[in-house]
Amino acid sequence: MFMSSTFEHQDSIISVARHPTKNDPFLSAAKDGYIIVWKLEVPQLAAGESENSDKDDMFKFVEDCDFNQPLTKAKWLTDQCIIASTTTGRLLVFTTENSANTYKKREIYQTDSAIWDLCVHKGQKSTDIFVALDSGNIVSLNSDTLKPTQVFSTVNQSVLCMSLDPIGDSLVLSVGTNSSVVLLKAKDGEFEEIHTIKGTSDNVSSIKTVGDKTMTTVYGTFNGRVAFFQSEL
């Protein structure tokens, strides 16, 4: 096992994501307002050199994208496009052409509420972007039309995290709020609520659902608790 580390960001890392089609590039995003695209290069060891040798050139700095505001999440939208959300309610994309190291910034969505999480779902005909809002709503945007559609709404709570999980032939949207977990199932182009767990003891920070007809939902909270429950699809 070879290990290496580097420091480029000036604040907490909030996202690390592998390139969707290539093995080497990945991105990192942080609260300092920067996205850095890296190229992973494992150095060739010289004769007699240990695998644990200090090799700072394992990570190659490719390009940065300066939002100049705190980021909350960043992901690859396509192999040439990065999408990211901010605490100021902006959803922006950076696009590069012909694998160049220059990214053009474009705002595709603006809301008055902080965006705490985002998911990208690639369907057969189009790609949908889901954003989790501090106002308690989840909104989806078609990547072609960019028309926002409300998917989920709750009262007096913030949507802090979510996960789009393929379960059998269905798509389940797992939602974590200040004090509850909600599961929604895609049906006829909309999402219907199928399960709700209240009283999570603290804000839900991460969530994931796996399984088939019997689902297991695992979630974590800001106070360090990890819990799970099982339900039927």
Side-chain angles (χ1 to χ4, degrees):
M1 181 176 68
F2 186 90
M3 296 184 64
S4 181
S5 63
T6 186
F7 291 92
E8 287 291 345
H9 289 288
Q10 303 301 314
D11 207 334
S12 302
I13 307 294
I14 50 90
S15 290
V16 174
R18 175 187 171 184
H19 193 276
T21 60
K22 299 178 181 178
N23 290 328
D24 294 337
F26 66 96
L27 67 81
S28 62
K31 292 181 179 179
D32 60 6
Y34 278 86
I35 297 173
I36 299 177
V37 180
W38 306 83
K39 184 178 181 182
L40 180 62
E41 292 186 354
V42 180
Q44 298 296 319
L45 298 177
E49 195 171 17
S50 169
E51 287 186 347
N52 293 322
S53 300
D54 184 16
K55 288 287 187 180
D56 291 335
D57 58 351
M58 183 176 181
F59 297 99
K60 294 296 185 181
F61 179 86
V62 178
E63 183 61 47
D64 65 4
C65 309
D66 182 12
F67 280 97
N68 196 29
Q69 55 192 291
L71 295 169
T72 57
K73 193 71 67 174
K75 295 186 177 184
W76 296 96
L77 183 59
T78 68
D79 60 346
Q80 295 182 327
C81 182
I82 297 168
I83 186 168
S85 55
T86 74
T87 57
T88 54
R90 300 177 70 193
L91 193 64
L92 302 100
V93 295
F94 278 97
T95 304
T96 183
E97 297 179 359
N98 301 321
S99 301
N101 289 340
T102 301
Y103 285 78
K104 298 179 180 179
K105 182 173 66 175
R106 180 168 62 101
E107 180 177 298
I108 63 171
Y109 181 67
Q110 172 71 66
T111 179
D112 295 332
S113 177
I115 301 174
W116 294 128
D117 202 358
L118 66 89
C119 292
V120 176
H121 178 250
K122 298 182 182 298
Q124 294 182 344
K125 297 182 179 180
S126 63
T127 297
D128 293 316
I129 304 160
F130 293 75
V131 293
L133 304 179
D134 187 66
S135 62
N137 300 318
I138 295 178
V139 174
S140 69
L141 297 93
N142 182 281
S143 61
D144 295 326
T145 65
L146 298 180
K147 180 181 178 181
T149 301
Q150 184 165 295
V151 174
F152 171 78
S153 181
T154 184
V155 180
N156 298 325
Q157 295 189 70
S158 299
V159 179
L160 303 176
C161 60
M162 60 182 173
S163 177
L164 276 170
D165 306 306
I167 305 295
D169 296 330
S170 300
L171 183 66
V172 172
L173 178 61
S174 310
V175 181
T177 73
N178 303 83
S179 60
S180 66
V181 168
V182 182
L183 301 184
L184 302 102
K185 176 184 175 181
K187 184 177 180 180
D188 299 329
E190 299 181 351
F191 281 85
E192 61 177 14
E193 188 173 322
I194 54 175
H195 297 291
T196 300
I197 302 295
K198 297 182 178 180
T200 56
S201 80
D202 196 12
N203 297 341
V204 179
S205 57
S206 185
I207 189 168
K208 189 70 176 178
T209 298
V210 297
D212 199 343
K213 290 184 178 180
T214 299
M215 304 179 295
T216 299
T217 301
V218 183
Y219 65 90
T221 64
F222 281 100
N223 64 358
R225 181 188 179 202
V226 177
F228 74 92
F229 65 90
Q230 291 186 314
S231 56
E232 298 296 322
L233 183 60

